[in-house]
């Protein structure tokens, strides 16, 4: 079996990643249409897209050879404490 090396990098997400994050979120088929804006709102809060970043949220993106191929965002869930 032949293996090809790839350059995998885990990094914080930035506001400029939003279009790619939206595309990946839609393309998975795991999110209902109404859930996609919620995911993007959390992304915006975490990255500060258009406002000050919310320090309660964290992000990470996985890139392979410079292309964002995965993302995660986590933080508190409102009204669950």
């Amino acid at each position: 079996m032949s293996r090809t090396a790839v350059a995998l990098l885990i990094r914080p997400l930035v506001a400029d990643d939003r279009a790619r994050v939206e595309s990946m979120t839609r393309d998975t088929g795991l999110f209902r249409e109404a859930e996609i804006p919620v995911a993007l709102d959390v992304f915006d809060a975490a990255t500060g897209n258009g406002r000050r970043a919310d320090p309660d949220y964290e992000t990470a993106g996985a890139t392979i050879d410079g292309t964002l191929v995965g993302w995660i965002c986590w933080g508190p869930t409102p009204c669950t404490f």
Side-chain angles (χ1 to χ4, degrees), residues 23-55:
S23 175
M24 288 188 296
T25 303
R26 289 183 184 284
D27 291 347
T28 66
L30 298 173
F31 291 85
R32 292 185 297 247
E33 190 61 33
E35 294 173 322
I36 293 169
V38 175
L40 294 174
D41 282 345
V42 173
F43 171 87
D44 291 339
T47 62
N49 191 21
R51 57 183 179 241
R52 197 176 105 224
D54 186 330

